[in-house]
Amino acid sequence: MILDQIQKPNDIKNIDPKDYSQLAEEIREFLLEKISVTGGHLASNLGVVELTMALHLAFDLPKDKLIWDVGHQSYTHKLLTGRKEDFDEIRCYGGISGFPNRKESVCDAFNTGHSSTSISAGLGMAHARDLKGEDYSVVSVIGDGALTGGMAYEALNNASRLKSNFIIVLNDNNMSISENIGGVSRMLGNLRTAPQYNDLKANVTQNLSRVPGIGNQLVKRISMAKQGIKQLFIPGMFFENMDITYLGPVDGHDIPMMINVFQEARRLNRAVVVHVMTKKGRGYEPAERHPEAYHGVNPFVVETGKPKKEKREPNYTDVFSKVFCQMAEKDESIVGITAAMPDGVGLKRFHKLYPERFFDVGIAEEHGVTFAAGLAAGGMKPYFCVYSSFLQRAYDQIIHDVCIQNLNVTFAIDRAGLVGSDGETHQGLFDLSFLQTIPGMSILAPKNCFELADALRFSAEFEGPLAIRYPRGTASKKMKSFRAPIVYGKSEILYEEEEIALFAVGTMVETACQVRNQLKARGYNVSLVNARFVKPLDEEMLEYLARGHKVLVTMEENVQSGGFGEHVTAICTKKKLPFHIISVAIPNSYVEHGNVDILKHEIGIDAEGALHTILKELE
């Protein structure tokens, strides 16, 4: 196999050009073989095989810096930098990440995982290079979807002032540009980057400006005429108008053509956008037909494309989807908002049923939150449905645009807590901490699927900002018999004894039930309380528990700093409640990728770890 010849960075440069197509085919076969076993991002990686090869052929890694926006399309990059043997455990605990990671390889220039960051990072790196007098290329690869994020435009605006080389590769796998315009654009792109053209342009401008009386006016009129002609022929005039040179569109599966364009782009002492057209899922028919369905996949059968586990139990997102549609049927003021994740957050069915009340704002969480605030101010009942990790991007808008005005916006926070294989950038570990700090925000954390359904119905009648957080994974049906009506700011006693009280949040209620059984087996008397509301906290319940319990154990799937446990401790200290408080929470660190059960065990928040923490404190 040709792929076997690549053992370290830049080995691809030793491959005969006539074998590039064969290498691309082998890479796709390898990715299918591995991802079908481990799961991961498939369609996006299949689409950028030739693009990645061209980048590695045109540039010299790790001297040159290559930044992948989001980073879920970096698998071929990992292969070409010598990590082929690590793919059996990609996204597994202790294995390599599914995203670029500086700790993993010197060829990973910048950690990514969230969208629309690459241009900002690349621009910063280009300025650092210039300030230090160094000589290397900086290339940021950003997808057309990531350009829906406002941060990308902020960076482009800033990049327009750069007086040194910086290459932005726009990986476009969605937009349709006709062949005729593409051909004219390529011709003009090659002309504009040719040294002769740039020299001629500079000389003509300089000589005309010297003509007495009319020179500067001539230059201005010629420039205006040139811009008008460009508007007719060049699809990249948006970039050109920002003083960023546009090249393309280029066939993202034509390696020699891309190498040529990249070499031309690196000659220019300014920011350059190279527009590359690729096909998402290329080379694997099921992914080509349904690229969205094959964006992130679980283990599957290569021959059919079907998941290896045919039967899937309903997850929390499914429960949200079903109940939310039922609510929307009864209340026409309810609207659903997503930041480019309609399937992931469970709004696909809602979109089909109520298309006029469905809004996909693109990868723009900040805009999504303020847009929801505007809807609420206009009398609607908006639900902003978002992963916990991505809600972090809109912290200012939650405070400034929703909570200060006490607007009726509900945040349906999916993937709260540990999410597993996507790792550090996707774990939902911080939402309790950053939301608790905001005056006027209420936070609900249901313990199982039934309580999630009840929490959503409660939200339909609730006035003001409300966050409902729930985890990724199979929706728990345990503790079904415990279903007291939801009352604002009130917790739920599940078992009442004395001595030790377990005060748990959300998914940790089920863990607390297991811990309670093991403590009782050791002779302890243990109460169990489902907190339900993280904010406002049920202070009356704490006072009640203080009468008969010496030890209070808080349990949460959130970082300890600023979390539920610290909030409880502060209240107990203020009220001088005589508890010995034990906190079971995620340590104040970033949690790597891996199976959720393994991660919980490693960081000590599974039943075994929680029991160990409690017994150690009791001793």
Side-chain angles (χ1 to χ4, degrees), residues 310-560:
E310 291 289 344
K311 187 177 180 181
R312 181 179 69 82
E313 293 294 327
N315 58 35
Y316 282 95
T317 308
D318 297 328
V319 174
F320 166 81
S321 177
K322 180 179 179 180
V323 176
F324 188 60
C325 289
Q326 293 171 350
M327 292 161 54
E329 184 180 9
K330 299 176 182 177
D331 186 349
E332 294 184 353
S333 70
I334 287 177
V335 298
I337 305 165
T338 178
M341 301 289 290
D343 290 353
V345 298
L347 284 180
K348 185 176 181 179
R349 184 164 176 258
F350 177 85
H351 181 200
K352 289 181 178 179
L353 293 173
Y354 310 105
E356 72 286 353
R357 288 190 271 156
F358 167 82
F359 300 95
D360 186 342
V361 299
I363 305 176
E365 290 82 3
E366 302 96 322
H367 162 61
V369 170
T370 303
F371 175 65
L375 281 163
M380 301 303 288
K381 177 72 174 177
Y383 284 72
F384 184 52
C385 309
V386 62
Y387 289 7
S388 170
S389 175
F390 300 152
L391 184 61
Q392 297 162 185
R393 298 158 68 95
Y395 185 61
D396 176 68
Q397 288 74 19
I398 297 170
I399 297 173
H400 187 273
D401 300 325
V402 176
C403 290
I404 287 179
Q405 302 183 80
N406 195 40
L407 289 171
N408 198 14
V409 177
T410 299
F411 298 90
I413 307 176
D414 203 329
R415 268 67 165 180
L418 295 166
V419 300
S421 300
D422 284 335
E424 296 171 327
T425 57
H426 285 61
Q427 312 283 18
L429 311 183
F430 307 102
D431 55 86
L432 289 185
S433 298
F434 70 75
L435 290 174
Q436 280 192 97
T437 65
I438 305 175
M441 174 63 76
S442 298
I443 309 170
L444 241 175
K447 67 179 180 292
N448 57 20
C449 65
F450 308 108
E451 197 159 273
L452 173 57
D454 294 342
L456 289 167
R457 296 186 181 103
F458 168 85
S459 71
E461 306 299 326
F462 183 77
E463 297 291 331
L466 175 66
I468 303 174
R469 81 182 304 251
Y470 45 96
R472 182 182 188 179
T474 302
S476 174
K477 296 181 179 180
K478 295 181 179 180
M479 296 174 286
K480 182 179 180 180
S481 59
F482 297 103
R483 199 172 179 178
I486 293 179
V487 178
Y488 181 65
K490 296 299 177 184
S491 51
E492 175 191 38
I493 295 180
L494 305 183
Y495 298 99
E496 186 173 5
E497 294 182 354
E498 289 186 349
E499 192 175 4
I500 300 173
L502 305 180
F503 200 25
V505 176
T507 56
M508 293 299 286
V509 175
E510 185 175 322
T511 303
C513 193
Q514 299 171 31
V515 172
R516 177 180 179 271
N517 292 336
Q518 294 183 50
L519 285 171
K520 285 184 66 63
R522 287 169 168 78
Y524 292 100
N525 295 314
V526 187
S527 296
L528 173 55
V529 180
N530 167 26
R532 274 190 175 164
F533 281 89
V534 176
K535 186 179 181 185
L537 192 63
D538 191 349
E539 296 184 19
E540 291 183 359
M541 177 60 73
L542 290 175
E543 292 172 351
Y544 176 75
L545 293 173
R547 296 171 197 160
H549 300 80
K550 297 178 181 179
V551 177
L552 180 69
V553 182
T554 63
M555 301 179 67
E556 63 189 303
E557 197 172 333
N558 187 84
V559 291
Q560 189 164 22

Side-chain angles (χ1 to χ4, degrees), residues 69 115-121 123 142-160 166 168 170 238-239 242 244 273 363-364 366 393:
D69 204 283
S115 173
S116 313
T117 63
S118 64
I119 302 176
S120 298
L123 182 59
I142 185 168
D144 52 317
L147 277 182
T148 62
M151 186 175 173
Y153 295 97
E154 295 173 18
L156 285 169
N157 180 61
N158 204 207
S160 65
F166 172 40
I168 302 163
L170 171 54
F238 170 80
F239 301 105
M242 296 179 72
I244 297 174
V273 167
I363 305 176
E366 302 96 322
R393 298 158 68 95

Side-chain angles (χ1 to χ4, degrees), residues 165-215:
N165 184 253
F166 172 40
I167 301 170
I168 302 163
V169 177
L170 171 54
N171 173 32
D172 183 350
N173 53 36
N174 187 37
M175 295 166 58
S176 176
I177 298 177
S178 69
E179 196 66 34
N180 289 339
I181 290 180
V184 171
S185 180
R186 281 193 293 273
M187 178 192 70
L188 293 177
N190 291 334
L191 178 62
R192 290 201 312 281
T193 58
Q196 298 91 331
Y197 169 77
N198 285 300
D199 292 342
L200 176 63
K201 175 183 170 184
N203 290 334
V204 169
T205 300
Q206 187 177 30
N207 291 329
L208 283 176
S209 64
R210 291 174 180 168
V211 177
I214 62 170

